Amino acid sequence: MIIGLHHVQLAAPAGSEPELRAFYAGVLGLEEVAKPAELAKRGGAWFRGQGVEVHLGIEDDFRPAAKAHPAFLVDDLDALVAKLPGAVPGAAFGGFRRVHVSDPVGNRIELMQRA
């Protein structure tokens, strides 16, 4: 029986950690958490926020996720959209407003706020 979600794993190209930090920590407001020493050798970065953890792992033959994506619940969608000029509004559904953005390496991210 599943009781929760520990983390979401996304891929990224080698050397993209500074851009990932600027987006996931700087824009989205997640906190970077230290990777275990053995995993840190592989590169990438991990981020954590209230009830969510995102791991970005380095992939040699990286291709961004164009359809698959995490959907993050946010408390101020308008404030985030102001920081993300490329945000594309999605149709509201189920009592949520939402937008789609791409992270710095092209992975699709959905941001949702209760209407």
Side-chain angles (χ1 to χ4, degrees):
M1 173 190 287
I2 295 174
I3 61 168
L5 179 66
H6 184 273
H7 69 272
V8 172
Q9 172 82 33
L10 297 173
S16 63
E17 292 88 350
E19 292 85 4
L20 297 172
R21 288 181 180 102
F23 180 76
Y24 286 94
V27 176
L28 298 185
L30 299 174
E31 177 184 351
E32 185 171 4
V33 294
K35 294 177 67 172
E38 188 61 31
L39 297 177
K41 297 176 189 176
R42 301 178 190 169
W46 291 4
F47 301 92
R48 183 179 298 148
Q50 183 177 339
V52 64
E53 191 160 321
V54 181
H55 296 179
L56 288 120
I58 301 304
E59 190 170 72
D60 291 334
D61 188 24
F62 171 74
R63 284 178 289 147
K67 184 73 173 171
H69 63 276
F72 299 125
L73 294 174
V74 303
D75 61 3
D76 192 343
L77 186 61
D78 295 326
L80 280 175
V81 167
K83 297 178 185 178
L84 299 162
V88 177
F93 74 92
F96 289 92
R97 296 173 48 226
R98 63 194 185 119
V99 299
H100 291 96
V101 299
S102 293
D103 74 5
V105 298
N107 290 312
R108 184 178 181 179
I109 305 292
E110 185 172 2
L111 303 171
M112 303 176 68
Q113 180 180 1
R114 290 195 186 279

